[in-house]
Amino acid sequence: MAEGKTGQSARTRHALITAAEKLIALHGVAAVSSRQISKAAGQRNNYAVGHHFGSKDDLIRAVLTAHNTPIDHLRRKALDSIGPDPRVRDWVRCLVAPEIEYLAGLGAPTYFARFFAQVSADPATTMLLYEQMGGSEPLVAILEGFYGALPSFPDDALEIRNNMTRHIIVNTLADIERAAEEPTHVPIPWERQCEIVVDALTGMWLAPVSAAP
């Protein structure tokens, strides 16, 4: 009986995670309530989110963890394969490739990239992303290598280019995911998509910095 209840609880948690990911991806964080998530997950108990996760923020954390765990595996592979004298482009690829490869492996339709973009855009939940980033050992190692390979930047230029990098990666992945649902969509190999993004980000980071007026 205990095993049966454990299995049922795991299935319910998975249904809530799946429902939350899709609803938030399509409508945004603030527009989706815990009650709506419970209903979409097929739960008659309107308080299923609270019962199984504690809060909507905790459910969002669970969605992020469900995806970031396998992405971290790909990040470790990227770190293991990086050359002995990596340049800026090598580190940018190490940052971008695991996420695009993971997204490509999910198949369409998927909602995680759009979910991530919605959570990133909502001031109330952005901190949840930073929690995940700070807890990812391979991501921290990639970022340390990346910043160590960069030329010297003024603080204001570094901050703005950091923000641009985050926006480009997050929103480009969301666009790739959204386009995959279109009936006329012609798939582009994930390796090609990755190189296009890496080229653009590398060019941005290696662009000269104008002197302050």
Side-chain angles (χ1 to χ4, degrees), residues 29-54:
V29 176
V32 176
S33 68
S34 294
R35 180 171 296 192
Q36 289 171 315
I37 293 170
S38 296
K39 182 178 179 181
Q43 301 303 303
R44 288 175 289 183
N45 178 5
N46 290 328
Y47 303 99
V49 169
H51 176 73
H52 288 276
F53 293 96

Side-chain angles (χ1 to χ4, degrees), residues 7-24:
Q8 182 179 359
S9 178
R11 288 190 294 273
T12 300
R13 286 175 62 88
H14 177 73
L16 290 167
I17 286 172
T18 301
E21 181 179 325
K22 181 176 180 179
L23 288 176
I24 290 173

Side-chain angles (χ1 to χ4, degrees), residues 1-204:
M1 181 68 71
E3 290 182 358
K5 288 183 177 180
T6 300
Q8 182 179 359
S9 178
R11 288 190 294 273
T12 300
R13 286 175 62 88
H14 177 73
L16 290 167
I17 286 172
T18 301
E21 181 179 325
K22 181 176 180 179
L23 288 176
I24 290 173
L26 297 179
H27 305 292
V29 176
V32 176
S33 68
S34 294
R35 180 171 296 192
Q36 289 171 315
I37 293 170
S38 296
K39 182 178 179 181
Q43 301 303 303
R44 288 175 289 183
N45 178 5
N46 290 328
Y47 303 99
V49 169
H51 176 73
H52 288 276
F53 293 96
S55 69
K56 188 170 126 180
D57 278 0
D58 289 326
L59 175 54
I60 289 172
R61 286 187 180 96
V63 177
L64 293 170
T65 299
H67 291 281
N68 282 329
T69 297
I71 293 173
D72 268 353
H73 176 70
L74 294 174
R75 287 174 178 141
R76 291 187 185 94
K77 286 177 59 180
L79 277 170
D80 290 342
S81 64
I82 201 165
D85 185 26
R87 306 292 180 88
V88 171
R89 191 183 191 284
D90 300 315
W91 287 114
V92 171
R93 194 179 194 286
C94 207
L95 183 65
V96 172
E99 299 196 27
I100 293 182
E101 181 180 358
Y102 175 72
L103 188 64
L106 291 177
T110 60
Y111 300 95
F112 177 61
R114 284 170 287 177
F115 168 87
F116 195 96
Q118 295 281 18
V119 174
S120 177
D122 192 304
T125 53
T126 303
M127 64 176 184
L128 303 180
L129 301 182
Y130 289 110
E131 286 179 7
Q132 290 276 328
M133 291 172 61
S136 168
E137 292 182 6
L139 178 58
V140 170
I142 290 169
L143 290 173
E144 287 177 351
F146 170 68
Y147 288 120
L150 287 176
S152 179
F153 280 98
D155 289 344
D156 55 354
L158 183 63
E159 180 181 358
I160 289 174
R161 293 193 191 194
N162 268 329
N163 289 335
M164 290 173 67
T165 299
R166 178 170 57 86
H167 289 304
I168 288 171
I169 294 175
V170 169
N171 291 297
T172 298
L173 291 178
D175 287 342
I176 289 172
E177 183 180 75
R178 189 180 296 109
E181 291 187 354
E182 296 296 326
T184 57
H185 175 66
V186 178
I188 301 173
W190 76 265
E191 296 91 341
R192 175 59 179 160
Q193 296 182 86
C194 176
E195 296 308 316
I196 291 170
V197 177
V198 170
D199 287 344
L201 287 174
T202 302
M204 182 192 74

